[in-house]
Amino acid sequence: MSGRPEHQAPPEIFYGEDEARKYTRNTRMMEIQLVMSERAVELLCLPENQPCHIIDLGCGSGLSGETLTEQGHTWTGIDISSAMLGVAKEREVEGDLLLGDLGQGLPFRAGAFDGAISISALQWLCNADQRSHNPAKRLHTFFSTLYSCLSRGSRAVFQFYPENSSQVELITSQAMKAGFTGGLVVDYPNSTKAKKFFLCLMTGGQQPLPTAMGVDSREDAPNAVAFSQKRDRVKQLRSGKAPKKSRDWILEKKERRRRQGKETRDDTKFTGRKRPSHVW
């Protein structure tokens, strides 16, 4: 049997209770998700210092959504695995969560989002997990409804693991039929481990694609520098924030929830205090 997860079972079955928790507790997986999420947001080219509303497609347990939250954006996540969404709720992520199958389309109003990201989910739509599934039709339904719910001039960035060139062609052709422009950005194309595929789609007409990382080209140097500088600024912002799970971090998170009108527990002198561990 193939080692690719999408060949082993449909996503809602593969990512059951055990796999969802194992996936979210794996520190190496969390680090990979963090790096890919930061890169995806970087490729969105969002306006500086302006909170945006982003849709996270195949949001899983909310690891990629946390990157959006940390950068000051609000987000809505959709995933087909109820177990993954259950873990996201337990982790108290700040996005709105929706159970849904991307291949059946997105149920949002026109222009609802300022951008879209997706980490490691797109290749699942190329499978026919049921007799009624036609990958080309499901991809077209997905991309068409995504195009509708994005504001004009916005972008959608998908990090994915294509199985072969035919799969890339199938995905990109359906995206273009839905109205998108753009194409593939391959970071570190000459590296076996670091190589990453990002499908960058645009709604505002033909635009130049961002420069891939790890590509040596003098012509690409200015853009590469700009993206590297932006990446460094994001990391500086992250490092300047309160340590995760500290009292200050918790208070900041509570304040954000209050601004969003969400139910939030009152602050007390015990907020953020570490509980003693008990050995039984």
Side-chain angles (χ1 to χ4, degrees):
M1 180 180 285
S2 167
R4 296 177 68 92
E6 64 268 24
H7 288 176
Q8 298 179 35
E12 66 271 29
I13 296 174
F14 181 84
Y15 288 110
E17 292 287 343
D18 293 340
E19 189 65 28
R21 295 184 187 283
K22 184 171 70 174
Y23 185 94
T24 309
R25 290 172 181 165
N26 186 318
T27 52
R28 178 177 173 273
M29 190 64 69
M30 291 175 73
E31 178 62 27
I32 292 172
Q33 282 277 90
L34 173 65
V35 171
M36 294 191 301
S37 300
E38 287 186 338
R39 177 59 170 153
V41 176
E42 181 178 78
L43 291 170
L44 282 181
C45 296
L46 298 170
E48 294 279 351
N49 304 316
Q50 181 179 321
C52 296
H53 188 195
I54 309 298
I55 182 167
D56 186 352
L57 303 157
C59 63
S61 58
L63 295 176
S64 46
E66 285 189 335
T67 297
L68 294 167
T69 297
E70 289 179 9
Q71 295 192 25
H73 304 297
T74 58
W75 58 279
T76 297
I78 182 170
D79 200 279
I80 197 171
S81 168
S82 57
M84 277 290 204
L85 294 178
V87 174
K89 287 181 180 179
E90 288 178 11
R91 298 176 66 243
E92 297 184 339
V93 298
E94 295 191 30
D96 295 319
L97 303 173
L98 177 68
L99 179 67
D101 177 2
L102 299 180
Q104 293 182 359
L106 303 174
F108 303 106
R109 62 178 174 79
F113 300 100
D114 303 309
I117 65 167
S118 179
I119 307 298
S120 311
L122 186 58
Q123 67 272 8
W124 290 86
L125 286 177
C126 296
N127 280 9
D129 294 321
Q130 299 176 18
R131 284 188 178 182
S132 60
H133 283 185
N134 179 314
K137 287 183 178 179
R138 282 169 57 78
L139 282 163
H140 186 262
T141 298
F142 165 62
F143 283 125
S144 297
T145 52
L146 174 62
Y147 188 90
S148 296
C149 70
L150 289 175
S151 59
R152 293 293 75 88
S154 62
R155 297 184 178 194
V157 176
F158 299 82
Q159 179 278 323
F160 70 116
Y161 295 100
E163 187 172 356
N164 49 46
S165 57
S166 298
Q167 199 174 79
V168 173
E169 186 176 344
L170 171 64
I171 291 170
T172 53
S173 65
Q174 295 306 319
M176 301 308 154
K177 284 181 182 178
F180 286 104
T181 59
L184 209 58
V185 173
V186 184
D187 284 350
Y188 305 104
N190 300 317
S191 169
T192 304
K193 290 185 177 181
K195 187 177 184 179
K196 290 291 181 292
F197 292 83
F198 292 89
L199 179 63
C200 296
L201 302 178
M202 304 162 192
T203 62
Q206 196 66 48
Q207 303 170 47
L209 281 174
T211 302
M213 299 181 72
V215 178
D216 293 326
S217 170
R218 292 185 179 181
E219 292 180 5
D220 293 340
N223 286 335
V225 169
F227 274 99
S228 297
Q229 288 174 343
K230 188 173 181 182
R231 194 179 186 85
D232 291 340
R233 285 202 301 275
V234 169
K235 288 186 176 179
Q236 286 170 4
L237 286 172
R238 285 169 56 83
S239 63
K241 291 188 175 181
K244 202 165 188 179
K245 304 299 182 185
S246 68
R247 177 178 171 82
D248 289 342
W249 181 87
I250 292 171
L251 291 175
E252 286 176 14
K253 182 173 180 178
K254 283 186 169 186
E255 188 57 38
R256 281 199 302 271
R257 288 178 65 87
R258 292 189 185 103
R259 287 198 299 267
Q260 294 168 6
K262 296 182 178 179
E263 187 176 339
T264 308
R265 290 182 182 177
D266 293 334
D267 301 334
T268 73
K269 66 179 181 179
F270 301 106
T271 298
R273 181 176 294 182
K274 188 175 181 180
R275 293 187 177 91
S277 57
H278 297 284
V279 179
W280 301 96

Short mmCIF file of all heavy atoms in Angstrom, two decimals, residues 18 79 180:
data_model
loop_
_atom_site.label_atom_id
_atom_site.label_comp_id
_atom_site.label_asym_id
_atom_site.label_seq_id
_atom_site.Cartn_x
_atom_site.Cartn_y
_atom_site.Cartn_z
N ASP A 18 -7.70 9.08 17.20
CA ASP A 18 -6.31 8.79 17.56
C ASP A 18 -5.33 9.57 16.68
O ASP A 18 -4.38 10.18 17.17
CB ASP A 18 -6.03 7.29 17.45
CG ASP A 18 -6.79 6.49 18.50
OD1 ASP A 18 -7.21 7.09 19.50
OD2 ASP A 18 -6.95 5.26 18.30
N ASP A 79 -13.12 21.91 7.66
CA ASP A 79 -12.43 20.63 7.54
C ASP A 79 -13.47 19.51 7.52
O ASP A 79 -14.56 19.64 8.10
CB ASP A 79 -11.46 20.42 8.72
CG ASP A 79 -10.40 19.38 8.41
OD1 ASP A 79 -10.67 18.17 8.51
OD2 ASP A 79 -9.27 19.79 8.05
N PHE A 180 -9.47 31.80 -11.79
CA PHE A 180 -8.21 32.22 -11.16
C PHE A 180 -7.09 32.38 -12.19
O PHE A 180 -7.11 31.76 -13.26
CB PHE A 180 -7.75 31.18 -10.14
CG PHE A 180 -8.53 31.16 -8.86
CD1 PHE A 180 -9.47 30.16 -8.61
CD2 PHE A 180 -8.33 32.13 -7.89
CE1 PHE A 180 -10.19 30.13 -7.43
CE2 PHE A 180 -9.05 32.11 -6.70
CZ PHE A 180 -9.99 31.12 -6.46
#
